[in-house]
Amino acid sequence: MTRLDAILKRAIDGAVLTEDELEFMLRLEDPAACRELFAAAYLVKCREVGKGVYLRGLVETSNLCTRNCLYCGIRKGNAEVRRYELDLDEIVAGAKLAADFGYGAAVLQGGERSDARFVEFVTEAVRRIGELPNAPQLTLSFGEQTLETYRKWRTAGAVRYLLRIETSDPGLYAELHPEGTLEGRKAALFRLREAGFQVGTGVMIGLPHQSAAMLARDVEFFRTSDADMIGMGPWIPHHRTPLGIAHPGSRAEDLRRLELGLRMIAVTRLQLKDVNIAATTALQSISPADGRERGLLAGANVIMPNVGGLEHRADYTLYDGKAGMDENAEAARRKLDGSLAGIGEFVHYGVPGTPRHYLKRTGKTE
Ligand code: SAH
């Protein structure tokens, strides 16, 4: 038996793998070995969370941001961005479209702000979406906030929150984030738990100065922080950011980051087992024809199709070449149904798809 066979067998049997073993798998490059890794992760996914995909309709509510993360296209310092804020009606319309499509869940995401007007605005959006017939379950993703704000949004009716740790490595985190600290980000994840959210986190994959050992420690961070959901994808350079200017990259590097991203999904599935894992837009952006589909076959079970209008799509450009810029929600949905059928997968329509991990840790049933 090869070392890989032995590790995969232990993972399938339920063992918690060592950091060394995680790193070994993240370093695999041989295509046959990678196929074996993905097949094992797919098997664990089907056993632990079932076959099929849960959809969350994504509304990108605003690109106004108070932060200057070195990799992000909508960072405050990027003066070329045309800044926008959707109004309440536009946001509710996006969530309604998600409900009408039978997606069962929606996500509101935007730049980070914490002024009182913004906090009230989000609270009102959550309330109004909750009043929709067939209201989709709501996820928020607006960065670090106080416990009071998280509680307010939870009380208004939001049930999930996405806050990527971005990287769990203290040195790399500090390099990329002029404001905020890794400890502050971790504390925000604890506050989300305290406020009663189902909590999602994640990282960017293939960042300059990021090693396979760091990614293995990221997976251990996901496990030990008891995350319910994981969203991660390859880092993709944006030409108007300090990181993208210093490391403009190439097609070959994008493809390497895509492969590493897929291995990261598989390794996370093998180690965490019962969490929801997203096949993200960044995978699709590098490989429009099959990036997300390959994510699903490597162990992911969630996709977040954009349900916002087309008017501001291009203004929410986190990285160059972001997928779906000119594709309306209806066209995206039809294409997705087709491509999933092509890989033997399917959508669970009309259900919220609460993470199995959350149900187990709380003893709830839905
Ligand atoms: N303000 C919110 C949402 C951020 S945007 C927050 O702080 O959580 C959502 C995610 O996009 C980020 O968490 C980051 O991981 C990812 N992202 C930003 N720039 C990126 C880039 N250049 N390549 C890939 N992913 C990027």
Side-chain angles (χ1 to χ4, degrees):
M1 207 195 278
T2 65
R3 179 171 185 207
L4 178 60
D5 290 335
I7 296 173
L8 294 178
K9 180 170 186 315
R10 273 171 24 76
I12 291 169
D13 290 346
V16 175
L17 303 175
T18 66
E19 254 172 49
D20 262 6
E21 290 174 320
L22 301 176
E23 184 182 340
F24 170 79
M25 291 190 284
L26 290 167
R27 285 182 185 280
L28 290 175
E29 279 183 9
D30 172 57
C34 291
R35 277 198 299 276
E36 200 184 327
L37 168 66
F38 299 150
Y42 191 73
L43 186 128
V44 169
K45 156 178 131 167
C46 293
R47 186 184 72 197
E48 299 285 334
V49 298
K51 202 171 166 141
V53 187
Y54 299 101
L55 301 185
R56 285 80 174 84
L58 173 65
V59 184
E60 294 161 338
T61 60
S62 169
N63 61 6
L64 291 169
C65 191
T66 54
R67 298 183 65 148
N68 249 323
C69 307
L70 263 57
Y71 44 82
C72 183
I74 63 167
R75 64 200 301 273
K76 176 177 61 180
N78 183 359
E80 269 184 13
V81 176
R82 185 173 66 135
R83 302 287 167 176
Y84 76 92
E85 266 180 291
L86 299 189
D87 63 28
L88 280 174
D89 287 344
E90 290 170 312
I91 295 172
V92 174
K96 180 171 182 314
L97 197 57
D100 291 347
F101 284 171
Y103 287 1
V107 182
L108 308 184
Q109 182 179 81
E112 180 171 317
R113 291 166 54 191
S114 46
D115 54 285
R117 191 184 81 76
F118 176 73
V119 171
E120 278 317 311
F121 179 82
V122 172
T123 310
E124 190 53 28
V126 173
R127 252 193 234 119
R128 293 232 345 230
I129 291 168
E131 287 166 1
L132 287 172
N134 237 335
Q137 282 207 345
L138 205 53
T139 305
L140 300 180
S141 181
F142 295 110
E144 294 172 38
Q145 305 288 342
T146 62
L147 180 59
E148 191 192 346
T149 297
Y150 286 151
R151 284 211 164 114
K152 196 172 215 165
W153 291 346
R154 179 72 188 84
T155 305
V159 294
R160 306 191 184 114
Y161 202 100
L162 303 176
L163 184 76
R164 290 187 178 180
I165 192 81
E166 312 296 1
T167 170
S168 67
D169 184 82
L172 186 56
Y173 190 94
E175 235 178 85
L176 296 174
H177 300 99
E179 304 96 352
T181 62
L182 179 60
E183 289 315 310
R185 196 96 177 152
K186 286 184 183 168
L189 283 167
F190 282 115
R191 289 197 291 278
L192 285 166
R193 281 290 283 264
E194 206 176 328
F197 278 102
Q198 299 166 33
V199 179
T201 191
V203 294
M204 280 171 292
I205 299 155
L207 289 160
H209 306 152
Q210 185 184 46
S211 64
M214 287 179 195
L215 289 170
R217 287 195 291 274
D218 290 340
V219 175
E220 280 303 81
F221 173 78
F222 303 155
R223 187 178 66 81
T224 54
S225 66
D226 209 13
D228 300 305
M229 300 134 16
I230 304 295
M232 49 189 178
W235 167 66
I236 302 175
H238 184 291
H239 69 286
R240 288 281 302 174
T241 61
L243 199 66
I245 291 166
H247 304 271
S250 64
R251 179 70 188 155
E253 281 173 49
D254 275 352
L255 290 173
R256 271 202 297 278
R257 283 190 285 262
L258 171 65
E259 295 297 328
L260 182 58
L262 294 170
R263 291 198 293 281
M264 189 69 176
I265 288 175
V267 167
T268 300
R269 173 60 71 199
L270 289 172
Q271 184 79 327
L272 276 74
K273 310 230 166 22
D274 59 0
V275 294
N276 278 356
I277 301 179
T280 56
T281 308
L283 297 172
Q284 185 193 5
S285 301
I286 295 178
S287 188
D290 65 357
R292 287 182 307 184
E293 292 73 10
R294 291 184 67 197
L296 298 176
L297 294 176
N301 69 325
V302 166
I303 289 182
M304 296 160 55
N306 202 315
V307 290
L310 287 177
E311 192 190 341
H312 294 291
R313 280 290 167 94
D315 302 324
Y316 201 83
T317 300
L318 306 176
Y319 43 82
D320 293 339
K322 186 163 166 251
M325 282 300 170
D326 50 8
E327 192 173 65
N328 74 35
E330 178 61 44
R333 165 189 144 103
R334 263 184 279 114
K335 218 161 89 185
L336 187 62
D337 272 330
S339 73
L340 292 182
I343 58 165
E345 277 280 340
F346 59 90
V347 174
H348 292 282
Y349 281 110
V351 290
T354 304
R356 198 70 58 90
H357 186 80
Y358 173 80
L359 297 176
K360 274 196 214 155
R361 78 174 167 81
T362 57
K364 297 192 172 143
T365 48
E366 253 307 338

